[in-house]
Amino acid sequence: MANVTDLQSKYSKLAQEYSKLRAQNQVLKKAVVDEQTASCSLKDELKQKEQSLRKVEQEMDSLSFRNQQLTKRVELLQEELLLSESKSKKSKNKGDSPSQVSLQTQSVFDEDLQKKIQENERLHIQFHEADEQFRRQEAQLRVRLDQLEKESEQHQAVVDALNRKYTDAIEKLQNDKALLEVNAQTLEREAKDCRIRTEECQQQLRKYQSEVSSQLKHSSSVIQEKVPFNDTQLSDYNSLNVPLHNRRHQLKARDVAAQALGFVQSLVSALLNLHSYTEQRVHIYPLDSSIEAISPVNLKFSQYLHENASYLRPLEEDLLQLHHSITEDSITALETLVKLQDFSRSFSSYSSFLQKILPYQLQSLEEDCEASLCTAALASKNRQLQKDMKKLTAVFQKLKSYVALLALPSVCSDAMCQSSANAVFTQMSACLHGLHDAATELSQHYSQKASLEQGLPTVTQKLCTTNECLLSSLASLTNSCGKMATFFSNNLDFLASCPGYGPRGGFLNPQQADSVMENKRRAATYMSTIRKVQSESVPYREALANRHVLTSSTESREGLMQQVAQSQEKISRLEQEKEHWLLEAQLGQVRLQKEIQRIAQLEAQITTGHPPETHSAADGPDPMCADAPEPLQDTSVIGMLTITPCSESAADQESREHLIKHHYMSRVSEITAQLQMCDSKAVHFHAECRAVAKRLAMAEKSRETLTEELKVAHQNITRLQDELSTTKRSYEDQLSMMSDHLCSMNDTLSKQRDEIDSLKLASKERR
């Protein structure tokens, strides 16, 4: 039911988170819609600006066209002016009237020209201003467009990221919801099964109670009739009874031992650091050993401190061995903890080590007080540290005594009763609290001393770092001591309580523990042999028939295996021959192609009417030129050509040039074909490589998704395993509670038997 409530609470939390994410998604959708509307408005504004830009461009085109027209008009007017000037020069000798007319026309033309020039200048100025304004507007619009594009890209990226994030979150929540629903259904089914089982257990409990009551009546009648004495009243008879085994106490003891081991390990590491840094400080202050020799007391003190690991490491190792000795199948009590004696010895040796180094430590602090730069405040702190070290050593001595008392029952079982053990545990808890107080005072006083030393003028960086390390080790020592004291106080009831082992009213010794575990192993093996299902026997005749069938089948199998091996060898040999003949066929095909080419060349030479020797430039020298020198070979990148130097006719020279040209052209065509083939192959390979790279990227993405799915599956598996372990643990706890109930019933039965015996004895005495 607790698991169901936890799942319901988790489901409600997931539903709340889902609703929050849904609300956030709505807000994001609204923001996206607003951004889209803003981008649309900006696009409309951009379109309007472009339209205005086009209008301005059209106006510029019209102005330029008008300007061109005006320039042409001005040129025409200038030409007319020149013509008029030439005419006026010709008609100089004529009367005054034509000169006046020409002057009037000239003045008219000048005025018209002046107006056109001014208009042209005005148009040029307007054109220049419009062009500059257009450029400024274009630059502003482009800058604005770039900014808007960047903002839209950023908003789009944010929107895409948020969409991906929230889609992933929604998918994950949906998957978790489905898993939780499946788990809820399974837990409901398990709860139903548990209810059914509890009902069955209750029915069995009623049945067992009825059976136990009937057995109680029967046993009480048997005891009244046939039991001659009560073995629990006499210690000699009671020691012969077999003690019980408490599994729950064992699990609790192992857990407590594991926690104690962790605390002791932290304490040992803190003490190791404290002793090591103290040794380092002795070599630094008040005298630096690298510059001058330190005092004999500090030298001896550092030698003793160097041996701290040989006293502290056995503490950790012995407690680890003690933790390993406490198992589920063992019996843990003060009487059976043999490894506790080794831990007691190691602890006593460490306390002796503290007693040994205490005088040297006090003397070293005295030397610190006698230093030239030691102030009164620093000397008072050193005296307080001396008191703290004495107190700490005394607390360790007390702890040594208590641990030795606890280890005594490992040797002698009758040395201490339960009340004395309770008193020892109580005193040990108080002593651990005293150890925590002493460590706290030591840490406080040393921190004050370090702050005072830091104010000295001759302090070095090495001393400051050593003091910081010492303070950190003291802080860890105080922390570990506080944790140990709290842990011991919390588990004091468990440590001081009787574990329930041993016969009624007596103590348990190691021999009895061994006998209990031996009886338990024997009972387990006996029950396993009883529950083991024996295999069914086979009749003798059927076994003989099966043997004949098996022998014949094995012989046939061996023969078939030999045939298979032979056939495999034959197949391999035939495959080798096949490869050989395939190679021979390829070589023959190549030779045939060469012969066909040679025959075709010979036929072509015969048809041309030239002898074969003159047409082939590589066949050797001409037989008609026997006295000619040896042929020369011309080698190049394209190929090799054999040249025969001999006196030939003009036709032979032409044929030779034709052959050379034909040879080089054929070589060039072959090389170009090979180059084209290589280019096509390279393109094909490049395309294949790109396709393979894309496939590789897709495969990597699929691999990453699959790995993520695998991680999720592993997490689900671990979660389901944890749930299964919790359910198993709950069932085991229920079974252990049932077994404890049965044990308590047995105890009540035994008490009732004892009361019946006592009543019988009392009735007999009265008679």
Side-chain angles (χ1 to χ4, degrees):
M1 294 299 290
N3 292 325
V4 173
T5 55
D6 292 336
L7 285 172
Q8 288 178 355
S9 63
K10 288 180 181 177
Y11 182 72
S12 63
K13 288 180 181 178
L14 286 172
Q16 291 175 2
E17 290 179 358
Y18 178 70
S19 62
K20 289 179 182 178
L21 291 172
R22 196 170 180 181
Q24 291 176 1
N25 194 8
Q26 293 293 331
V27 173
L28 287 171
K29 283 182 179 178
K30 289 180 181 178
V32 169
V33 171
D34 295 336
E35 289 295 330
Q36 287 178 354
T37 54
S39 64
C40 290
S41 64
L42 290 172
K43 285 181 181 177
D44 294 334
E45 186 179 355
L46 183 62
K47 287 180 181 178
Q48 292 177 2
K49 295 293 183 181
E50 287 178 352
Q51 288 177 0
S52 63
L53 185 64
R54 290 193 191 96
K55 288 180 182 179
V56 172
E57 287 178 352
Q58 289 176 0
E59 290 178 358
M60 285 176 64
D61 293 334
S62 64
L63 288 171
S64 62
F65 180 71
R66 182 65 178 166
N67 192 10
Q68 288 176 1
Q69 286 181 350
L70 290 172
T71 53
K72 288 179 180 179
R73 180 65 178 166
V74 168
E75 288 176 356
L76 290 172
L77 290 172
Q78 286 178 355
E79 289 177 358
E80 290 178 358
L81 180 62
L82 292 172
L83 289 172
S84 62
E85 286 178 354
S86 63
K87 287 179 181 181
S88 62
K89 287 179 181 179
K90 288 179 181 180
S91 58
K92 276 183 180 180
N93 298 319
K94 294 182 179 180
D96 296 331
S97 58
S99 62
Q100 291 177 356
V101 172
S102 63
L103 288 171
Q104 290 176 358
T105 54
Q106 182 69 27
S107 62
V108 169
F109 284 132
D110 290 337
E111 290 177 359
D112 193 5
L113 180 61
Q114 188 67 29
K115 289 180 181 179
K116 297 296 183 183
I117 289 168
Q118 290 176 358
E119 187 177 359
N120 192 8
E121 287 178 357
R122 184 175 55 79
L123 291 173
H124 272 293
I125 291 166
Q126 290 179 358
F127 176 74
H128 184 68
E129 290 176 354
D131 191 7
E132 288 181 353
Q133 186 178 3
F134 167 71
R135 287 177 182 175
R136 286 196 298 272
Q137 289 180 357
E138 185 181 5
Q140 291 175 0
L141 290 173
R142 287 187 184 280
V143 171
R144 180 64 177 167
L145 180 61
D146 293 335
Q147 291 178 357
L148 293 173
E149 286 179 351
K150 288 179 181 179
E151 290 177 358
S152 64
E153 288 177 357
Q154 291 176 359
H155 289 302
Q156 191 65 32
V158 171
V159 169
D160 293 337
L162 290 172
N163 286 329
R164 286 195 297 271
K165 180 180 177 181
Y166 288 113
T167 51
D168 294 338
I170 289 166
E171 289 177 357
K172 186 177 180 182
L173 288 172
Q174 287 177 354
N175 294 328
D176 293 339
K177 180 182 176 183
L179 291 172
L180 288 171
E181 287 177 354
V182 172
N183 291 330
Q185 291 176 1
T186 54
L187 289 171
E188 285 177 359
R189 288 196 295 270
E190 289 178 357
K192 289 179 182 178
D193 295 336
C194 290
R195 291 192 195 97
I196 294 167
R197 289 178 184 175
T198 51
E199 290 177 358
E200 292 177 355
C201 290
Q202 287 176 0
Q203 291 177 1
Q204 290 179 1
L205 181 61
R206 295 191 194 96
K207 182 180 177 181
Y208 291 152
Q209 284 178 354
S210 61
E211 290 178 357
V212 165
S213 61
S214 62
Q215 288 178 4
L216 177 60
K217 292 178 182 178
H218 178 68
S219 60
S220 62
S221 63
V222 169
I223 288 167
Q224 289 175 2
E225 293 175 358
K226 296 183 178 180
V227 175
F229 62 91
N230 186 9
D231 57 354
T232 58
Q233 293 181 354
L234 299 175
S235 61
D236 296 334
Y237 295 146
N238 191 22
S239 62
L240 298 174
N241 291 326
V242 178
L244 303 175
H245 180 263
N246 193 348
R247 183 171 173 271
R248 181 178 292 178
H249 183 271
Q250 283 300 119
L251 294 174
K252 179 68 175 176
R254 184 167 177 79
D255 188 14
V256 169
Q259 293 179 10
L261 176 61
F263 293 138
V264 169
Q265 286 176 349
S266 62
L267 178 65
V268 166
S269 63
L271 289 172
L272 283 170
N273 292 330
L274 177 63
H275 294 320
S276 300
Y277 291 130
T278 304
E279 180 186 359
Q280 186 177 352
R281 177 185 163 80
V282 165
H283 284 283
I284 295 171
Y285 188 81
L287 297 176
D288 195 351
S289 61
S290 61
I291 299 172
E292 53 185 333
I294 60 176
S295 64
V297 175
N298 283 332
L299 183 62
K300 197 69 175 177
F301 183 39
S302 65
Q303 290 176 0
Y304 285 147
L305 286 174
H306 193 68
E307 300 172 356
N308 63 81
S310 61
Y311 294 98
L312 284 169
R313 291 298 180 189
L315 282 173
E316 185 178 353
E317 293 173 358
D318 293 338
L319 194 59
L320 183 62
Q321 294 295 327
L322 179 62
H323 174 256
H324 289 324
S325 66
I326 300 172
T327 59
E328 186 179 349
D329 296 331
S330 63
I331 293 178
T332 302
L334 287 174
E335 293 84 3
T336 60
L337 285 175
V338 182
K339 298 292 183 180
L340 187 60
Q341 190 176 4
D342 298 333
F343 180 74
S344 175
R345 292 196 195 95
S346 300
F347 197 82
S348 63
S349 63
Y350 178 67
S351 63
S352 301
F353 170 72
L354 290 178
Q355 286 283 344
K356 182 172 67 174
I357 66 172
L358 180 61
Y360 295 98
Q361 195 160 15
L362 299 177
Q363 191 65 30
S364 177
L365 290 171
E366 287 291 336
E367 288 185 0
D368 289 349
C369 294
E370 292 173 359
S372 59
L373 295 175
C374 183
T375 60
L378 194 58
S380 65
K381 294 300 176 187
N382 288 329
R383 294 188 187 91
Q384 288 177 357
L385 285 174
Q386 288 177 349
K387 294 178 182 178
D388 294 336
M389 294 306 299
K390 291 178 182 178
K391 186 177 179 181
L392 188 68
T393 308
V395 172
F396 270 102
Q397 287 294 321
K398 286 183 181 180
L399 283 174
K400 180 194 75 171
S401 303
Y402 294 137
V403 172
L405 287 173
L406 291 176
L408 281 176
S410 300
V411 180
C412 180
S413 62
D414 295 332
M416 183 168 42
C417 63
Q418 188 64 32
S419 60
S420 61
N422 295 340
V424 169
F425 280 120
T426 306
Q427 293 296 326
M428 193 171 179
S429 176
C431 190
L432 284 173
H433 283 287
L435 179 63
H436 176 244
D437 295 337
T440 305
E441 291 177 359
L442 180 63
S443 178
Q444 291 176 357
H445 293 158
Y446 201 89
S447 64
Q448 294 171 2
K449 178 186 176 183
S451 62
L452 291 173
E453 285 181 349
Q454 196 170 0
L456 294 176
T458 58
V459 67
T460 60
Q461 185 64 32
K462 192 186 296 185
L463 181 61
C464 291
T465 54
T466 307
N467 287 333
E468 289 177 359
C469 294
L470 275 168
L471 288 174
S472 64
S473 61
L474 285 171
S476 61
L477 177 64
T478 305
N479 191 12
S480 59
C481 290
K483 288 181 179 179
M484 285 182 65
T486 307
F487 162 74
F488 208 83
S489 299
N490 293 333
N491 294 285
L492 186 61
D493 296 334
F494 172 75
L495 294 171
S497 64
C498 182
Y501 298 128
R504 290 185 293 274
F507 293 98
L508 181 70
N509 54 19
Q511 289 80 16
Q512 286 179 338
D514 295 336
S515 66
V516 169
M517 299 314 299
E518 184 64 27
N519 291 329
K520 184 180 178 183
R521 284 192 290 271
R522 286 181 181 178
T525 53
Y526 177 69
M527 294 301 293
S528 63
T529 53
I530 288 173
R531 292 176 181 176
K532 188 176 180 181
V533 179
Q534 295 182 357
S535 60
E536 296 181 358
S537 61
V538 181
Y540 182 69
R541 293 180 180 178
E542 187 176 354
L544 286 176
N546 291 333
R547 183 176 180 279
H548 289 301
V549 171
L550 285 171
T551 53
S552 62
S553 64
T554 51
E555 290 175 357
S556 62
R557 183 171 177 274
E558 290 176 356
L560 289 171
M561 289 295 290
Q562 290 178 0
Q563 290 178 6
V564 168
Q566 291 175 1
S567 62
Q568 286 179 354
E569 291 177 358
K570 189 174 181 181
I571 287 165
S572 63
R573 188 172 64 253
L574 289 172
E575 285 181 352
Q576 291 176 1
E577 291 179 357
K578 177 186 174 183
E579 294 290 336
H580 173 69
W581 290 116
L582 282 173
L583 292 172
E584 290 291 335
Q586 290 178 0
L587 291 172
Q589 191 174 3
V590 171
R591 290 172 184 170
L592 179 61
Q593 289 177 358
K594 287 183 179 179
E595 289 294 329
I596 289 168
Q597 290 177 1
R598 191 172 65 82
I599 290 166
Q601 289 176 1
L602 290 172
E603 288 178 354
Q605 291 171 2
I606 289 167
T607 54
T608 53
H610 294 286
E613 291 79 7
T614 58
H615 283 277
S616 179
D619 290 338
D622 193 355
M624 299 297 292
C625 301
D627 298 332
E630 294 181 355
L632 301 174
Q633 291 182 353
D634 185 9
T635 59
S636 63
V637 179
I638 300 173
M640 182 177 69
L641 178 66
T642 304
I643 302 170
T644 305
C646 64
S647 60
E648 297 175 345
S649 61
D652 294 334
Q653 289 179 0
E654 290 177 358
S655 63
R656 189 171 67 82
E657 290 175 359
H658 178 72
L659 288 172
I660 291 168
K661 183 178 179 181
H662 179 70
H663 172 72
Y664 280 111
M665 290 298 292
S666 63
R667 288 293 295 165
V668 167
S669 62
E670 288 176 1
I671 289 169
T672 53
Q674 290 178 2
L675 183 60
Q676 290 176 359
M677 183 66 71
C678 292
D679 289 336
S680 62
K681 286 182 180 179
V683 171
H684 178 66
F685 290 152
H686 180 66
E688 285 184 353
C689 289
R690 290 180 64 184
V692 168
K694 289 181 180 178
R695 289 177 186 172
L696 180 62
M698 293 171 67
E700 287 291 333
K701 290 181 180 178
S702 63
R703 185 175 67 81
E704 291 176 356
T705 54
L706 290 172
T707 51
E708 290 177 356
E709 291 176 359
L710 184 62
K711 288 179 182 177
V712 172
H714 280 304
Q715 291 176 0
N716 292 329
I717 288 167
T718 52
R719 183 171 53 78
L720 292 172
Q721 286 178 354
D722 293 335
E723 291 177 358
L724 181 62
S725 63
T726 52
T727 52
K728 282 183 179 179
R729 199 178 298 112
S730 63
Y731 292 154
E732 287 176 357
D733 292 334
Q734 290 176 3
L735 291 172
S736 63
M737 288 173 67
M738 293 294 292
S739 61
D740 292 335
H741 184 68
L742 290 174
C743 291
S744 64
M745 292 294 291
N746 290 325
D747 291 332
T748 53
L749 283 174
S750 63
K751 288 179 181 178
Q752 287 177 1
R753 288 173 187 171
D754 297 335
E755 289 175 359
I756 289 166
D757 293 333
S758 62
L759 290 171
K760 279 185 179 181
L761 291 171
S763 62
K764 286 180 181 179
E765 288 175 358
R766 288 175 184 175
R767 291 177 184 177

